Amino acid sequence: MGSPEEPQEARVRLPQLRLDELLEELQARLDAARGTRDRVHSLLEAVLSVGRELDLEQALHSIVEAAAVLVDAEYAALGVIGPDGTRLSAFHTVGVSQEQISRIGPFPQGHGILGELIHHPEPLRLAKISEHRASYGFPPHHPPMNTFLGVPIRVRDQVFGNLYLTEKRGGAQFDEEDESVLATLAVAAGVAIDNARLYEETRLRERWLRANAEITHSLMSGGGRTDVLALIAERAGEITGSALAAVALPMEETGSLAVEIAVGLDAEVHQGLVLPVGTTLMGLAFSTAAPVVSTDVAHDERVPPGPQRFEGLGTAVAVPIGTVEGGVRGVLLLARESGRQPFSATETETLLAFAAQAAVAMELAQRRQDAEEVAVLKDRDRIARDLHDLAIQRLFATGMTLQSAGRFIEHPEASERVARAVDDLDETIKIIRSTIFGLRAREGVEGAGLRARSVRIVGEATPVLGFAPSMRMEGLVDTDVPREIADHVVAVLSEALTNIARHAGAGRADIVLAAGSGRLCLTVTDNGVGIAPDGRRSGLRNMAERAEQLGGKMELNTPAGGGTALVWWVPIPAE
C-alpha cells in the first residue's frame, strides 16, 4: 500500500499542471492578439502610405512593396490589365533584381496562373503553383516559386490589375488571414490608383490648356505660320510622349497634303512630303475629319511607298486639325516608339480637342490677317484715288499752263526749257499712273506656283508609271524660284518621270525638290534597271542643256541598291 500522502501530492500537482496550461494558452492568445494588433497597425500604415502617393507609377510601386511586407512574401508583382482586357500591359515587381529580369526576358503578358486571375477576378490561394491546371511552368532563369496568393484590384467597379504574391517566407503557406489582409490592401490600392489617375489627368489637362494658350498667343501676336505649326507639333509630341510629330496642310491647287513640319525621329525624311488624300493615314484623317489609328505604323499598308521613315516606331494616330462643320485645316500625326502603349480613347479625344482649339486659333489669326489685308487694299485704293483725282489733275493742269505760256516766250533757250518741263510732267504722270495700276493690282494673276505644278506633273505621271512616286519639297519653292527657272524644273521633272515609265521598269520613284543656300535642286531616284550604255540620250541631253543654260549642272548616279539617281540643280538669283 502507498503512503497516505501520495493522493494528496497528486491532487496538488494536477491543479498546478492545469494552471500552467492556462497560462500558456493565455500567453499564446496574448501573442496572437499582439500579432493581430501589429498586423492591423502595419496594414493601416500601408494604406496611409499608398494613399499619399499622387504619381501613378510611384503609387503602383508602393502598393507592391506594401503587399510583400504585409503577407511576408519573398516575391510580389502588380500586373496592369491592358485596354483589351485579356493581357497585361505593365508589370511592377519586388524581390527580383534587374539582372534577373534581364536574364528571364520580357515581362509576362498574362498567361498561365496570371491569366487565371485576369479571366476570373477572384482571390486565388495555392499551396503549389505547378499543381494548378492553368500552370505551364516558368521560363529559364526564373527563380523557383511554389506558394501563391493573388487578388484583383478594382477601380470604380472595373478590374485595374492584379496583385501576385509568391513564396511566403519561412516555408509557410499563405492562409485566410493573409488573403483577407491582401484583399483589404487591394481596396485601398484601388482608391489610391483612382486618385493618382485623377491627379494625372488634371495635370495633363493643364498641360494641354497651357499649350493651347501658347499657340493662341503666338498666332495672335503675329507669329509666322511655320513657327506656329512647329509649336503645335512640339507640344503635342511632348505631352503624349511621342517620338515623332508631323503637321500636314492641304495644297489648294492640287488637293494633296504637304508635310509642312516634322519634329522628332527621322523628321528630315518626313519634311516636305506630298501625300495623296484618301489612302494614307494623314489623308484619311483629313478626308473623314476623324482620327485614324495604326497599331504598327512601320508596317501599315496605308503608308505610301518610299524611303523608310517609320523604322523603330509602333503605334500612331492621325487627327484632323479642325472639324467637319468648321472645315479641316490640316492633320496632326503622332507616333510612339515600338513597344510603347497604344494611344487610348481618352488620349485620342484629348488630341481632337487640342487640334480643334488650334484650328480655331488658326482661323481667328487668318481672319485677322484677311482684315489687315483688306485694310491695306482699301488704303491702296484711297491712295490711288487721291493720286488720280488730285495729283495727276494738278500736274496735268500745270503742264497745260506751261505749254500755253511757252507760246509767248520769244527767247529760244527759255522756250526749250519750258517744253522740257512739260515733257517731264507728262513722264511723271505716266509714272504715277503706273503706280496706281500697281496699287490696284491683285495677287494670283501669274497662275499656280512651282509646288502645285510639280505635284500636278507627278499626279499625271502616276497612271503611266503604275505606282505613285513619293515626293518631298524643302524650302521656299514658290517664293524663291523665279518663273523662268520654274518652267525649266517642270519640264525636267516631266521628262525624268517619262524616262522612268518608258525605260526603267521601276517599281518605286522618289522625288526631292529643295530650294535653299542659293540654289534649287531636283533629285529623282528610281529602283529600275538603270541607264543602258547604248540607249537613247536625247532626253538626258536636253535636261543637261537646260541646267547649263541657267548656270547649273545635271548628274547621273547609280544608288547602292541599283536603279538611277538624277540630280539636276541650278543657282537661284538673289533678289
Side-chain angles (χ1 to χ4, degrees), residues 459-467 497-498 501-502:
E460 292 172 353
T462 297
V464 181
L465 290 166
F467 58 87
L497 293 176
T498 301
R502 289 178 178 175

Side-chain angles (χ1 to χ4, degrees), residues 181-406:
V181 167
L182 201 60
T184 304
L185 178 66
V187 173
V191 175
I193 291 169
D194 192 30
N195 289 337
R197 291 205 313 201
L198 289 173
Y199 178 70
E200 190 175 78
E201 289 174 7
T202 302
R203 290 182 60 193
L204 195 60
R205 194 175 297 112
E206 288 179 357
R207 293 184 67 187
W208 283 118
L209 289 173
R210 282 199 302 269
N212 270 319
E214 190 177 359
I215 291 165
T216 303
H217 179 268
S218 179
L219 280 166
M220 294 307 175
S221 60
R225 186 181 74 164
T226 302
D227 294 336
V228 173
L229 294 178
L231 191 61
I232 291 173
E234 288 172 3
R235 294 296 175 267
E238 289 170 3
I239 296 174
T240 59
S242 300
L244 173 70
V247 177
L249 300 182
M251 301 174 64
E252 295 181 1
E253 302 90 345
T254 63
S256 303
L257 289 175
V259 179
E260 298 284 341
I261 290 295
V263 179
L265 187 65
D266 294 331
E268 65 281 356
V269 183
H270 296 264
Q271 189 81 30
L273 275 174
V274 178
L275 306 171
V277 172
T279 57
T280 62
L281 284 174
M282 300 183 86
L284 286 169
F286 181 81
S287 60
T288 61
V292 178
V293 178
S294 174
T295 56
D296 185 6
V297 69
H299 302 93
D300 199 305
E301 295 179 353
R302 294 167 294 181
V303 174
Q308 178 58 258
R309 53 187 182 275
F310 288 108
E311 188 173 359
L313 297 177
T315 180
V317 61
V319 296
I321 301 176
T323 60
V324 177
E325 296 80 7
V328 179
R329 304 185 67 88
V331 179
L332 171 64
L333 173 72
L334 298 170
R336 286 172 173 160
E337 292 179 345
S338 180
R340 292 283 307 279
Q341 288 294 316
F343 289 90
S344 65
T346 303
E347 284 181 306
T348 304
E349 289 175 7
T350 307
L351 272 172
L352 269 175
F354 169 74
Q357 288 294 325
V360 170
M362 292 169 69
E363 178 68 19
L364 291 174
Q366 184 65 49
R367 294 289 178 87
R368 190 199 65 179
Q369 184 179 349
D370 291 344
E372 291 175 353
E373 289 180 359
V374 169
V376 170
L377 292 175
K378 286 183 177 179
D379 199 37
R380 285 182 178 181
D381 286 341
R382 181 188 58 78
I383 294 171
R385 186 172 56 253
D386 290 346
L387 286 172
H388 182 272
D389 296 344
L390 300 175
I392 288 182
Q393 297 304 322
R394 279 176 172 264
L395 290 172
F396 187 74
T398 304
M400 291 291 291
T401 303
L402 287 174
Q403 194 172 19
S404 298

Side-chain angles (χ1 to χ4, degrees), residues 393-423:
Q393 297 304 322
R394 279 176 172 264
L395 290 172
F396 187 74
T398 304
M400 291 291 291
T401 303
L402 287 174
Q403 194 172 19
S404 298
R407 297 172 186 171
F408 300 102
I409 299 175
E410 296 180 356
H411 194 285
E413 186 176 347
S415 178
E416 185 182 350
R417 287 187 178 182
V418 170
R420 282 203 304 268
V422 172
D423 291 340

Side-chain angles (χ1 to χ4, degrees), residues 60-61 63-68 71 73-80 88 90-96 101 107-108 114 117 142 145 148-151 153 161-166 182 185:
L60 297 177
H61 191 71
I63 292 167
V64 180
E65 288 183 331
V71 299
E74 187 172 352
Y75 304 107
L78 191 157
V80 180
L88 300 176
F91 206 70
H92 302 264
T93 63
V94 167
V96 184
I101 292 172
F107 282 118
L114 305 186
L117 260 77
H142 196 285
M145 295 180 180
F148 176 86
L149 175 60
V151 296
I153 298 176
N162 297 303
L163 277 171
Y164 307 110
L165 288 301
T166 60
L182 201 60
L185 178 66

